[in-house]
């Protein structure tokens, strides 16, 4: 294993771990919100962004496959990690955009503006 492969692993592994951490947080938040909707009998509107999420998934798969195919003489593990790294970056940016959107919705619907003090 040469120095470039070691460097690639050192750069890729933190992004994979960050995605695992964000996925776990998303799971617990989702489970908590489902519990809250059942306890308080809250009606959640239908997901209107389903078509965009399908387009997003197709886009990152195609771009990730293209990135893996464009590398010459690469081993399988490095190709898979490259593909997953591209997916992690895309997922993190999607979650960031959705989080900002959700924070703005909460801010608009909340009577007390102190709920989201960081969002002035």
């Amino acid at each position: 294993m040469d120095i470039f492969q070691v460097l690639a692993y050192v750069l890729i592994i933190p992004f994979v771990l960050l995605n695992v951490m964000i996925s776990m947080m998303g799971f617990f938040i989702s489970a908590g919100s489902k519990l809250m909707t059942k306890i308080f009998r809250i009606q959640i509107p239908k997901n209107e962004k389903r078509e965009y999420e399908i387009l997003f998934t197709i886009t990152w798969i195609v771009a990730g496959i293209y990135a893996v195919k464009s590398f010459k003489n690469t081993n399988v593990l490095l190709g898979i990690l490259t593909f997953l790294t591209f997916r992690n970056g895309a997922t993190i940016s999607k979650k960031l955009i959705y989080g900002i959107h959700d924070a703005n919705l909460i801010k608009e619907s909340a009577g007390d503006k102190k709920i989201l003090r960081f969002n002035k």
Side-chain angles (χ1 to χ4, degrees), residues 13-110:
I13 289 173
F15 288 108
V16 172
L17 293 176
L18 182 64
N19 191 36
V20 168
M21 183 183 70
I22 289 173
S23 297
M24 288 176 53
M25 286 176 26
F27 171 75
F28 288 119
I29 290 171
S30 174
S33 66
K34 285 179 184 177
L35 180 65
M36 297 284 263
T37 56
K38 285 184 180 181
I39 291 173
F40 295 115
R41 295 187 178 114
I42 301 171
Q43 293 289 65
I44 298 176
K46 183 182 173 187
N47 186 0
E48 299 170 357
K49 298 179 222 100
R50 183 76 180 142
E51 293 84 20
Y52 295 120
E53 290 179 2
I54 292 171
L55 179 64
F56 170 79
T57 303
I58 291 170
T59 302
W60 75 254
I61 288 174
V62 169
I65 290 172
Y66 175 75
V68 170
K69 292 276 187 185
S70 66
F71 290 132
K72 303 291 185 214
N73 300 327
T74 185
N75 64 12
V76 176
L77 182 61
L78 191 59
I80 291 171
L81 287 176
T82 303
F83 181 75
L84 290 175
T85 301
F86 182 81
R87 181 190 177 277
N88 290 342
T91 302
I92 289 170
S93 63
K94 181 181 84 166
K95 289 182 186 262
L96 177 67
I97 291 169
Y98 280 176
I100 291 170
H101 176 261
D102 292 346
N104 287 334
L105 285 178
I106 291 171
K107 183 180 177 184
E108 289 173 6
S109 65

